[in-house]
Amino acid sequence: MKTDFKLLVNGELIDGVSTFDVVNPATEEAFAQCPRADEAILNRAVAAAKAALPAWSALPVDERAGYIGRLADAMEARIEDFARLLTAEQGKPLDQATYEIGGSIYTLRAFAAMRLPEQTLRSENGGTVIEHRTPLGVCASITPWNFPVILLANKLGPCLVMGNTMVSKPAPTTPLTTLLLAELAADILPAGVFNVVCDQNELGPLITAHPDIAKVAFTGSTATGKKVMASAAENVKRVTLELGGNDAAIVLDDVPARIAAQKVYAGAMANAGQICVAIKRAYVPTAMYEEFCDEIAKLADEAVLDDGAKQGSTIGPIQNRMQFEKVRGLIEDAKQRGRVVAGGNVPDRKGFFIPPTVIADLDDDAPLVREEQFGPVLPVLKYDDIEDVIARANDSPYGLGGTVWGVDQLRAMDVARRIDAGTVWVNQHLAIDPTIPFRGAKQSGLGAEHGLAGLMEYTQAHIVNAVALEIEQA
Ligand code: NAD
């Protein structure tokens, strides 16, 4: 596996001012060094992105799309290298890593195919009003550690196709797949169009305050998102914020407990629960509660918790020690307040492993119910009345996603309409598609990613409002 990595600044692969360890969360051992950028390198990256703007934005959109397509093709040719590296730095099982890279390639191609044509808003009596879209300028991408590649693709595709340039900063614990993409981009994209800098959490505030950056596309926690928004206010930067969630799953009473348990388990435990829209609380009718708990416990007990690089592993470690300690703390607290249905004991081994854990009989104010756990531990709560469960699901500062499960689809859709969230899936989960807008409600975000709405976030709407010039005859 590749272990030497460079930053990408102005089309050149360069060393940083120092390096830092990248740790495999399954072994707790450093397996590669990441180059670290300082403020001077960040400034060079922003200057390069600014200098590249006039030529890049002047290209016909089909030519820019062609570049993005060639980048996607180059990723596809290296899909195994990307997937192995992703498993090593992030921890997810290799098949799930391959799926993330495949999804990233698909996302880049989908954005390369999207267009925002000029619109005529009015055309009458010699007057014409048109709205067209111009690029914003240099955009920054700041990404977290749970899906480092696809969350970058979600930003890079629309940014470049609309004629902007980018400076990207991955999370300190998962920088290497972004640097592998940078290596491919160095051979494909014009110098300065895409730049990558890495840090140990120092560069974020410098990026959000930088006067030459027009927009920050941020995915991460709500706490950091608030800092990004406050800092961006200084020069009225555009921001897209994709933040945390505490998504409720509501199981309706016409679903067999075994089926409901399968669906909820998959939605809660994929990527070891480290998904912004993972199911983070499950509400189940009292009449099927015990059966549901028994069924979901069976699934948790069958899981193979191991290094994602090992064949047969179905759930990998938590990505980093800080998150591991946070999830472990929530489990210990929940054990005092509720009943452990599955898991609950952290194995005595190297690596940040937490078994799939299910806790029953918690009150709604327990920390595991109120907070975003971002790990493989699920509280299962009872309900009797549909109005009551909708109110409980909505009683959260978050509003990212949610799911409703019901054989009567129309009834399930009626419930889904009443959940305060950006996306509510009915009888499916994680149906995220680059052509469907994705956005958080309440403190889960601001602005959209994906779809034409997401594309617009990388543009300035520009109105030209014209009438004929009347010249009086002498
Ligand atoms: P985080 O907020 O700690 O870090 C995210 C990124 O922000 C990192 O690159 C980090 O270096 C950078 N950063 C840190 N301080 C900064 C500052 N002051 N200014 C600017 N940038 C700064 O998040 P995390 O722990 O890496 O990721 C997990 C969180 O991300 C969860 O809350 C999860 O729900 C959320 N998330 C949301 C979505 C979504 O689409 N809504 C998707 C994935 C993850």
Side-chain angles (χ1 to χ4, degrees):
M1 193 191 312
K2 182 177 165 59
T3 52
D4 58 314
F5 294 90
K6 307 272 189 199
L7 307 171
L8 177 60
V9 175
N10 201 20
E12 284 176 32
L13 295 167
I14 63 164
D15 289 326
V17 288
S18 59
T19 61
F20 59 90
D21 287 347
V22 180
V23 170
N24 181 329
T27 61
E28 295 181 51
E29 278 165 20
F31 70 99
Q33 293 291 305
C34 178
R36 188 174 68 80
D38 63 358
E39 186 169 6
I41 294 180
L42 169 67
N43 287 340
R44 277 164 56 196
V46 177
K50 191 176 172 185
L53 256 176
W56 179 250
S57 59
L59 284 179
V61 63
D62 289 347
E63 277 191 42
R64 290 196 300 266
Y67 278 108
I68 299 169
R70 286 194 286 286
L71 190 60
D73 294 346
M75 283 183 82
E76 194 165 45
R78 299 281 299 273
I79 194 162
E80 275 182 33
D81 294 339
F82 269 101
R84 280 185 203 291
L85 190 59
L86 182 55
T87 291
E89 69 175 354
Q90 205 283 333
K92 65 187 71 186
L94 198 53
D95 57 341
Q96 294 177 32
T98 307
Y99 190 74
E100 179 178 342
I101 306 302
S104 308
I105 295 164
Y106 179 82
T107 298
L108 287 177
R109 288 178 177 152
F111 278 113
M114 283 187 215
R115 298 288 178 272
L116 283 176
E118 179 173 298
Q119 288 193 58
T120 302
L121 303 185
R122 192 183 298 163
S123 177
E124 58 191 13
N125 304 331
T128 304
V129 181
I130 59 155
E131 182 181 275
H132 71 129
R133 299 261 160 187
T134 56
L136 291 171
V138 178
C139 301
S141 156
I142 302 181
T143 39
W145 42 258
N146 59 336
F147 285 92
V149 187
I150 202 160
L151 294 173
L152 171 58
N154 288 348
K155 299 166 179 56
L156 185 61
C159 172
L160 296 193
V161 80
M162 294 316 299
N164 306 278
T165 56
M166 177 173 272
V167 174
S168 160
K169 191 204 83 62
T173 54
T174 54
L176 302 181
T177 39
T178 300
L179 292 177
L180 180 55
L181 183 64
E183 194 179 302
L184 304 183
D187 286 339
I188 294 170
L189 298 177
V193 166
F194 177 51
N195 305 271
V196 178
V197 293
C198 297
D199 71 339
Q200 287 189 292
N201 267 334
E202 321 81 6
L203 292 182
L206 301 176
I207 290 173
T208 55
H210 202 294
D212 286 338
I213 292 178
K215 175 197 168 89
V216 177
F218 173 83
T219 300
S221 62
T222 295
T224 311
K226 289 178 185 177
K227 292 185 195 162
V228 170
M229 196 170 166
S231 170
E234 189 56 37
N235 66 339
V236 196
K237 276 188 185 64
R238 278 37 179 177
V239 288
T240 312
L241 303 175
E242 298 291 351
L243 309 177
N246 190 8
D247 294 6
I250 299 179
V251 176
L252 298 180
D253 57 10
D254 59 357
V255 186
R258 187 176 58 82
I259 305 290
Q262 282 169 2
K263 302 291 186 188
V264 170
Y265 178 84
M269 303 299 176
N271 208 39
Q274 302 161 111
I275 304 184
C276 54
V277 286
I279 293 175
K280 293 178 180 145
R281 318 171 259 162
Y283 294 90
V284 178
T286 302
M288 71 161 88
Y289 190 75
E290 290 309 326
E291 194 186 349
F292 179 93
C293 287
D294 289 348
E295 292 290 344
I296 202 165
K298 278 188 218 157
L299 297 168
D301 293 344
E302 283 165 10
V304 181
L305 179 69
D306 211 338
D307 185 334
K310 284 202 187 142
Q311 188 117 32
S313 153
T314 60
I315 179 165
I318 296 292
Q319 198 281 317
N320 58 73
R321 175 170 293 284
M322 211 169 93
Q323 186 62 23
F324 170 74
E325 298 296 353
K326 180 185 164 189
V327 176
R328 188 153 72 168
L330 280 170
I331 292 177
E332 287 312 315
D333 175 85
K335 279 159 91 171
Q336 308 302 314
R337 298 168 188 264
R339 168 167 57 105
V340 177
V341 167
N345 294 318
V346 172
D348 182 17
R349 62 179 280 189
K350 275 260 184 206
F352 308 132
F353 290 100
I354 293 191
T357 295
V358 181
I359 313 273
D361 300 343
L362 287 171
D363 289 337
D364 283 1
D365 60 1
L368 182 60
V369 181
R370 300 289 316 164
E371 294 175 22
E372 181 186 39
Q373 64 272 53
F374 220 60
V377 47
L378 179 75
V380 180
L381 306 143
K382 283 180 202 154
Y383 78 88
D384 291 305
D385 175 63
I386 198 73
E387 295 301 320
D388 170 60
V389 77
I390 291 170
R392 288 162 70 197
N394 286 337
D395 180 20
S396 168
Y398 295 109
L400 192 57
T403 53
V404 182
W405 306 88
V407 175
D408 181 343
Q409 188 184 327
L410 291 180
R411 178 172 160 238
M413 286 175 69
D414 279 342
V415 175
R417 276 196 189 89
R418 297 177 59 198
I419 304 300
D420 299 338
T423 303
V424 183
W425 289 288
V426 171
N427 296 332
Q428 59 176 349
H429 184 235
L430 280 182
I432 292 178
D433 184 299
T435 62
I436 300 173
F438 177 82
R439 44 170 86 83
K442 298 193 270 185
Q443 293 186 29
S444 286
L446 189 73
E449 263 187 355
H450 289 168
L452 294 181
L455 206 55
M456 283 184 201
E457 302 261 354
Y458 288 85
T459 66
Q460 174 64 46
H462 188 257
I463 300 282
V464 177
N465 188 340
V467 291
L469 188 62
E470 308 251 337
I471 300 190
E472 281 179 33
Q473 299 297 325

